[in-house]
Amino acid sequence: MITSLNNERVKYVRALQARSRARRKEGHFVIEGPTLLREALAAGVPIKEMFYTEDFAGSPEGRVLLERISYSGTIMLPVDQSVMRAMSDTPAPQGVLAVLPDLHLEPPADASFALIIDRVADPGNLGNMMRTAAAAGVPLMVTTAGTVDWTNPKVVRSAMGAHFRLPVRQLSWEGITSQFADYVLFLADVQGGAPYFSVNWVQPCALIVSEEAHGPSESAARLAHARVMIPMPGGMESLNVAMATGIMLFEMARQRAVQ
């Protein structure tokens, strides 16, 4: 059992949790809790190594999960409670966490829609958007400079397994211009535009979304072909970006389901 915070594997996990630079350099990120572990296993994602406490291993859920993982060749390491607390990014660790390789899921060859994230800095918002995008069947999500790292621990928790289903790429605006040259690019804007339900979401297109506090970046505004908005008869000024994105994504999904 690992009991020292000076253990090299423990220090490695703590670095991955704390710094996006470490995650990019090493090509790994961390998931926590049995729910995400089950999601990773169901998706066939390779697990590099797993850390668990005795209490977790002794629970009915822990016994089942550890037995499943034992057949995969994953390195399985018991740690004491203090080490688990130090490695965890949450105030109440669930007794198990794992290190995974970066995922490079391929979008479908015929993908004709993309969600483009413009400078969304809040991890909870990005995680919720990823979860919603996966649920709506979005084939590709693109992040731009200024957007929080999608392997940030808070993003991973909020996304609830979307990392294992949603292809994600990070592109510059020049890369977006090139990759989506034949797409209609819609920019979500609280200041005005066509109502989102009047837009043709069946054509090859992409939706660019930004945090409501700052609005679209100059690059996003310059690149967009048209603007879309969510009418708010109740008089509110704006919606949280994750909620607004979900509303528009499911209209896209609805239109494509009935075409």
Side-chain angles (χ1 to χ4, degrees):
M1 177 180 291
I2 298 174
T3 60
S4 171
L5 300 186
N6 290 320
N7 179 278
E8 290 302 316
R9 282 194 160 111
V10 173
K11 289 194 287 186
Y12 183 73
V13 172
R14 297 182 75 184
L16 293 177
Q17 294 275 47
R19 297 190 294 274
S20 60
R21 183 187 303 176
R23 294 191 293 273
R24 288 194 301 270
K25 177 184 177 183
E26 300 296 334
H28 293 101
F29 69 105
V30 180
I31 62 172
E32 294 194 48
T35 299
L36 283 180
L37 271 171
R38 284 194 297 269
E39 292 284 345
L41 288 170
V45 174
I47 299 171
K48 181 176 182 286
E49 53 190 15
M50 185 186 76
F51 301 83
Y52 61 92
T53 63
E54 283 188 331
D55 285 350
F56 179 78
S59 68
E61 181 178 45
R63 285 194 295 270
V64 171
L65 193 54
L66 266 62
E67 182 177 4
R68 285 184 64 189
I69 294 176
S70 68
Y71 295 112
S72 67
T74 297
I75 298 170
M76 302 170 63
L77 300 166
V79 300
D80 69 14
Q81 295 284 0
S82 65
V83 170
M84 179 59 68
R85 283 194 296 270
M87 289 195 300
S88 175
D89 186 65
T90 69
Q94 299 179 64
V96 62
L97 58 77
V99 176
L100 274 59
D102 280 350
L103 305 176
H104 300 283
L105 305 181
E106 289 296 325
D110 59 351
S112 58
F113 179 81
L115 173 64
I116 300 174
I117 310 297
D118 173 36
R119 299 189 308 176
V120 171
D122 182 85
N125 278 340
L126 183 61
N128 283 325
M129 292 159 75
M130 291 183 66
R131 183 179 182 184
T132 302
V138 169
L140 175 64
M141 186 181 88
V142 174
T143 64
T144 63
T147 295
V148 63
D149 176 13
W150 71 292
T151 60
N152 176 289
K154 293 180 177 62
V155 176
V156 173
R157 287 198 301 276
S158 299
M160 294 292 290
H163 287 70
F164 312 135
R165 297 179 174 83
L166 177 65
V168 181
R169 297 290 183 273
Q170 183 170 24
L171 295 175
S172 66
W173 287 105
E174 290 77 12
I176 290 169
T177 301
S178 174
Q179 181 160 338
F180 300 104
D182 298 327
Y183 285 47
V184 178
L185 302 183
F186 294 107
L187 176 65
D189 191 348
V190 298
Q191 300 301 320
Y196 74 96
F197 47 77
S198 69
V199 166
N200 175 11
W201 295 108
V202 176
Q203 64 186 316
C205 61
L207 172 64
I208 306 172
V209 295
S210 316
E211 282 190 322
E212 65 275 15
H214 306 293
S217 66
E218 290 183 9
S219 297
R222 185 170 57 251
L223 189 61
H225 300 114
R227 299 186 180 224
V228 296
M229 50 88 72
I230 299 174
M232 288 179 274
M236 296 299 291
E237 183 176 306
S238 66
L239 292 174
N240 168 273
V241 64
M243 179 176 290
T245 299
I247 290 170
M248 290 184 280
L249 289 183
F250 275 96
E251 173 61 15
M252 177 275 297
R254 184 196 69 80
Q255 289 188 19
R256 289 176 176 235
V258 300
Q259 67 171 320

